[in-house]
Amino acid sequence: FFLMIRRPPRSTLFPYTTLFRSFALELSPDERERLYRAAAPLREGAWPVRWVAPETIHLTLKFLGEVPDGRVDAVRAALAAVAARARPFAVPLDGFGAFPDPRNPRVVWAGAAAVPPLVRLQAEVEAELEPLGFPRDRRPFRPHLTLGRARDGARARDFAGFAALLASLPYHGTLRAEAVTLLRSTLTPAGARYDAVGAPPLGAPDA
């Protein structure tokens, strides 16, 4: 999930803005490279999509929005508590798609199976954060790994043939969930830069 800490005034938003994107599940380096290679035909097309850097690909469990500095320690404690109650598990990855519609995409993604351990982990995140003032997301949890986002002004006619290409590309992989990572994100004109600032292993004692 995402945490954003004290967003600067709009006039000073760039060159950087600091955020936290926490409770993310990360791919192994080898799986990340496999996924990036499998998606290469998408990046090679002239589609109006801003593709994310391979090292930033991950599975997000919750988006928090802006979070004051004084609440960060509580969120870190929630991260540790959620991780301590879970156990490592595997998430099958399969194929590509887009929200809301491959014929007019806003977000391009790689699919992740909603296996029971993943669904339980995401529910634990929601339950742990609700007492801290973060409302539960009422939308169904649809696990995925974001690969790119449509550029501003992109229209459906700009994506002729895109849906067929998405459906034709083979990809099968595995995300091995062994830790929950708190990611700090710095937004720059070149895109987001992510840094891990906490990653308690699943099943570790709650500190």
Side-chain angles (χ1 to χ4, degrees):
F1 73 120
F2 294 72
L3 286 187
M4 197 156 58
I5 296 184
R6 286 193 178 176
R7 187 176 187 134
R10 185 173 299 275
S11 61
T12 61
L13 181 60
F14 290 111
Y16 63 86
T17 296
T18 300
L19 308 91
F20 281 93
R21 180 185 299 245
S22 60
F23 291 95
L25 300 179
E26 296 196 275
L27 296 167
S28 69
D30 287 346
E31 190 62 53
R32 184 180 290 117
E33 178 61 26
R34 288 186 64 248
L35 172 55
Y36 197 69
R37 288 201 307 267
L42 298 174
R43 299 190 305 274
E44 292 165 359
W47 317 107
V49 175
R50 186 183 299 278
W51 301 104
V52 305
E55 62 271 17
T56 69
I57 298 172
H58 56 268
L59 193 158
T60 300
L61 297 176
K62 185 173 178 63
F63 178 75
L64 287 187
E66 296 193 28
V67 177
D69 291 347
R71 302 177 73 186
V72 174
D73 286 345
V75 172
R76 288 177 183 268
L79 169 65
V82 168
R85 293 194 294 268
R87 292 294 181 270
F89 60 93
V91 180
L93 307 175
D94 186 23
F96 301 101
F99 297 138
D101 186 327
R103 293 167 295 182
N104 187 21
R106 299 296 95 190
V107 176
V108 181
W109 45 258
V115 293
L118 175 58
V119 174
R120 285 195 298 269
L121 181 64
Q122 196 272 340
E124 287 274 347
V125 168
E126 296 281 10
E128 195 72 31
L129 290 171
E130 190 172 28
L132 301 181
F134 301 103
R136 291 176 182 261
D137 191 341
R138 301 303 177 186
R139 297 170 299 179
F141 177 48
R142 300 182 64 182
H144 62 279
L145 298 96
T146 296
L147 304 178
R149 295 176 176 83
R151 295 183 180 275
D152 291 344
R155 296 164 293 185
R157 69 187 185 190
D158 299 325
F159 290 95
F162 188 72
L165 179 59
L166 278 178
S168 71
L169 294 179
Y171 171 65
H172 305 281
T174 302
L175 186 159
R176 302 194 179 280
E178 299 177 345
V180 182
T181 304
L182 179 64
L183 292 176
R184 180 176 58 209
S185 173
T186 302
L187 296 184
T188 74
R193 186 185 74 239
Y194 297 97
D195 301 293
V197 295
L202 299 184
D206 189 359

